[in-house]
Amino acid sequence: MSIQNNLNNIKQSLPEHVTLVAVSKTKPISDLMEAYNIGQRIFGENKIQEMVEKYKEMPKDIKWHMIGHVQRNKVKYMAEFVSLIHGVESFKLLKEINKQAKKHDRVIDCLLQIKIAEEDSKFGMTPQDASTILQSEEFSTLKNIKITGVMGMATFTNNTLQIEKEFKLLKTVFDELKLLNSTNCKLETISMGMSGDYNLAIECGSTMVRVGSSIFGSRNYN
Ligand SMILES: *Cc1c(COP(=O)(O)O)cnc(C)c1O
């Protein structure tokens, strides 16, 4: 199946309130353009350098999402154009994003990455960390970032019940954080679900799915 067919099929199957991030990491610009040419405008990358290179080459109405682990010293390279940063997992990182956004006179939307998986390898903060950040006084002074939701990755497993439990946890955390009603926040996004589990994620409350291989085919890491 072609990229365009894959994309159309997935888009048709998604409820209207769910946003599709086309995860294009490792894929060549020609592949991204196939998706672009049938209307896809949101692309997700997990390496800042790669995202910057694609941003430079591609049409400027694309919304670039950073979905990977972010190193603080690299925030400056994407601050000018990044549309949403999914993987914010510390207050230090948030402060750096704010600092770099300010230089470009922008407000950068961010999601707090919550650790919902049991695996140690997955990044993210605890729900308690997230709530502490949102209630801190220093947070309320960061005028160049806005927290628009949460992101999570489930354990890499075939155990659907486990994945479901983790997705439901993220939804609960989201609902609780929303009650805090703090400044610099407009919590509306729950980013969860990838090629293998996005339907389950949507059932559990996801509003944004990050789908790569089901659109672009499997990845070749060299
Ligand atoms: C690669 C990646 C995805 C997409 O994974 P697929 O299984 O190819 O859909 C989603 N989210 C994150 C954070 C990723 O790194």
Side-chain angles (χ1 to χ4, degrees):
M1 279 257 259
S2 72
I3 290 171
Q4 297 196 337
N5 278 332
N6 294 339
L7 183 57
N8 276 331
N9 288 339
I10 292 170
K11 275 207 296 201
Q12 273 164 21
S13 77
L14 295 180
E16 232 169 82
H17 70 278
V18 175
T19 302
L20 174 63
V21 179
V23 175
S24 47
K25 60 192 187 195
T26 79
K27 297 295 176 181
I29 285 173
S30 55
D31 283 8
L32 280 70
M33 281 310 295
E34 280 192 44
Y36 180 88
N37 286 336
I38 56 162
Q40 184 64 29
R41 291 294 180 273
I42 304 179
F43 291 88
E45 292 283 335
N46 73 336
K47 297 227 160 60
I48 292 175
Q49 201 52 48
E50 185 177 342
M51 184 172 78
V52 168
E53 278 160 27
K54 287 172 174 170
Y55 161 73
K56 285 184 187 154
E57 300 284 321
M58 293 186 65
K60 292 299 171 283
D61 60 345
I62 290 174
K63 292 192 164 82
W64 293 99
H65 287 202
M66 174 42 57
I67 62 168
H69 179 63
V70 176
Q71 286 172 285
R72 262 181 292 146
N73 61 350
K74 291 188 179 157
V75 173
K76 55 177 178 283
Y77 301 119
M78 63 174 171
E80 180 189 351
F81 68 91
V82 68
S83 160
L84 179 64
I85 301 176
H86 290 234
V88 176
E89 48 155 8
S90 73
F91 192 46
K92 266 182 160 175
L93 176 58
L94 202 54
K95 283 196 286 188
E96 176 64 14
I97 296 169
N98 185 72
K99 181 176 146 194
Q100 298 300 334
K102 195 170 179 171
K103 290 184 186 166
H104 296 279
D105 201 20
R106 298 186 63 210
V107 174
I108 297 181
D109 289 350
C110 297
L111 305 179
L112 296 180
Q113 181 168 0
I114 310 292
K115 187 178 186 307
I116 53 172
E118 275 169 17
E119 283 168 80
D120 284 339
S121 59
K122 294 283 198 297
F123 292 106
M125 58 176 78
T126 65
Q128 184 55 50
D129 292 338
S131 132
T132 303
I133 289 176
L134 296 193
Q135 290 173 284
S136 84
E137 213 164 295
E138 197 181 358
F139 171 72
S140 67
T141 67
L142 306 181
K143 296 302 179 201
N144 294 81
I145 52 100
K146 190 166 83 188
I147 304 296
T148 58
V150 295
M151 181 271 213
M153 289 175 84
T155 302
F156 186 70
T157 172
N158 289 325
N159 184 345
T160 312
L161 282 177
Q162 164 119 23
I163 297 172
E164 183 177 358
K165 192 179 84 185
E166 294 173 358
F167 284 157
K168 284 184 170 161
L169 170 64
L170 189 60
K171 165 74 168 133
T172 304
V173 171
F174 172 83
D175 289 340
E176 284 170 4
L177 293 176
K178 232 175 130 109
L179 294 176
L180 297 176
N181 209 358
S182 65
T183 54
N184 302 347
C185 272
K186 192 162 189 277
L187 296 183
E188 45 198 20
T189 299
I190 303 178
S191 167
M192 61 183 183
M194 326 200 323
S195 290
D197 55 22
Y198 69 87
N199 283 317
L200 178 59
I202 291 166
E203 280 171 36
C204 296
S206 171
T207 68
M208 185 175 277
V209 293
R210 309 176 307 267
V211 181
S213 43
S214 291
I215 298 173
F216 296 106
S218 57
R219 286 176 295 272
N220 220 335
Y221 291 99
N222 282 316

